[in-house]
Amino acid sequence: MSSNELATALITGSEGFVGGHLWKELERSGYKVIGTSLSEPKEKTPNVFVCDITDTEKVGNLIKDLQPDYIFHLAAQSSPRHSILFPKKTFEINNIGTINLFEAVKSILDYNPRIVVIGSATECGEVSADQLPITENTPFAPQNPYSISKLATYYLSLHYAKSGACEIVYAASFSHTGPGQSTGFLAADIARQIVEIEYGRQEAKLVTGQLENLRDYLDVRDVARAYRLLAERGKNGERYNVCSGHPVSTKDIFRILTQLSKVKIDHQIDPSKNNVQDSPVFYGSRKKITQETGWEPEISIKQTLKDLLDWYRQNIQ
């Protein structure tokens, strides 16, 4: 690559929640961005290629043709609940898909891109209070097919990195939310219900699970910046927590969002909405990523939730 050429960054799963924000972050930072999507994107673009990550031949041909300088591997099945219902598909996407990507890179002579693989803090499972905050050295104890598959992805990444086959940085991501997040996650579910109530399409009663947990929340835009900095400054074969470093109560998430509501809302608890495997308190240490890349969160949880709510107001017609 000559000095006047833009570095090319490929995002697998670029049409997903984080993918869209990462795309903007990379473009702002001077990258030429390309992506993959499982199906034809809503808005056709020459920079997005339809590719099923579990299709070995398609993945191989795509990497051979594009040979990007950086690869951000976001394509995944990311729902723990979905993984319990469809464990086989979860492992096919999260593990076979990852192997396909690594093998495609490995097969090309004199080609060594920087790969950022997105993992999950849930690989650590239920963590006792005396083990908090979670660090990169916290023991693993995955509790569902999703987190087991992500732990397998971590060990695959470690194997390919340490063997010299690929240059890989691993991001262990904690909870994140923000504009564009689909329902199925606490903050987005609350925001969606508030907007439905504001538009008069739902009774002024908001239903949630028990709001007793403490979670480590980040804005998705801070997460995107962390991934870029890991690609640029992270060390090969290393694991990095992507987290705020402090817990936020789910009760506060609810309180902030309902305070931003334009109408008065009653609250109803539905215990079935809780995940029985959830730890009551779950947060990490960002010491390593901050020391080695300079990254730290910039967007407050209040701003994140305001932007999430405004996004739903603008996108639900």
Side-chain angles (χ1 to χ4, degrees), residues 16-259:
F17 169 49
V18 180
H21 290 282
L22 179 58
W23 191 298
K24 294 175 184 176
E25 170 67 28
L26 293 171
E27 282 192 331
R28 281 195 298 266
S29 301
Y31 290 83
K32 177 186 176 183
V33 187
I34 51 181
T36 71
S37 175
L38 180 60
S39 55
E40 196 70 48
K42 295 176 184 176
E43 296 181 12
K44 290 188 178 181
T45 167
N47 291 334
V48 177
F49 302 86
V50 176
C51 181
D52 183 341
I53 198 73
T54 65
D55 188 321
T56 304
E57 185 177 359
K58 279 191 176 181
V59 174
N61 289 336
L62 185 76
I63 296 301
K64 184 179 180 180
D65 291 343
L66 299 175
Q67 295 194 31
D69 304 294
Y70 294 87
I71 299 173
F72 295 85
H73 184 36
L74 273 61
Q77 193 298 98
S78 58
S79 168
R81 289 192 178 192
H82 192 82
S83 77
I84 294 170
L85 296 172
F86 305 102
K88 181 180 177 181
K89 193 64 177 176
T90 297
F91 280 87
E92 286 175 348
I93 296 169
N94 294 354
N95 300 131
I96 301 303
T98 299
I99 291 172
N100 286 342
L101 178 64
F102 292 165
E103 285 294 318
V105 170
K106 179 183 173 183
S107 69
I108 302 171
L109 188 65
D110 297 326
Y111 174 56
N112 191 31
R114 293 275 284 171
I115 306 173
V116 177
V117 175
I118 311 306
S120 171
T122 63
E123 295 160 30
C124 295
E126 187 172 341
V127 180
S128 60
D130 62 343
Q131 291 180 300
L132 295 170
I134 294 165
T135 72
E136 289 79 5
N137 297 316
T138 296
F140 299 120
Q143 295 184 312
N144 54 58
Y146 166 72
S147 55
I148 294 168
S149 75
K150 281 299 185 182
L151 182 55
T153 299
Y154 170 62
Y155 280 118
L156 284 168
S157 300
L158 202 60
H159 164 70
Y160 279 85
K162 297 299 185 184
S163 68
C166 301
E167 194 166 319
I168 300 166
V169 179
Y170 194 83
S173 291
F174 285 65
S175 298
H176 42 271
T177 187
Q181 187 175 40
S182 62
T183 52
F185 302 90
L186 176 72
D189 285 349
I190 295 172
R192 172 77 187 234
Q193 288 190 71
I194 288 173
V195 173
E196 294 285 3
I197 292 168
E198 288 178 346
Y199 287 176
R201 296 201 292 254
Q202 178 177 320
E203 182 184 356
K205 181 171 63 178
L206 206 156
V207 181
T208 70
Q210 299 283 357
L211 300 175
E212 299 172 348
N213 293 337
L214 293 169
R215 287 288 176 270
D216 193 316
Y217 274 95
L218 278 175
D219 189 289
V220 64
R221 293 159 290 192
D222 278 332
V223 170
R225 188 165 45 82
Y227 293 169
R228 174 180 63 80
L229 288 170
L230 284 174
E232 295 170 352
R233 304 175 188 175
K235 295 178 182 177
N236 182 39
E238 290 293 320
R239 178 186 181 92
Y240 295 87
N241 283 347
V242 178
C243 61
S244 70
H246 60 84
V248 175
S249 74
T250 50
K251 191 173 292 183
D252 281 342
I253 299 290
F254 173 83
R255 177 183 55 79
I256 292 167
L257 282 167
T258 52
Q259 284 177 349

Side-chain angles (χ1 to χ4, degrees), residues 10 16 34 129 217-218 225 240 242 274 277-278 300 306-307:
L10 169 67
I34 51 181
Y217 274 95
L218 278 175
R225 188 165 45 82
Y240 295 87
V242 178
N274 288 96
Q277 293 181 330
D278 278 351
S300 71
K306 180 182 183 300
D307 292 347

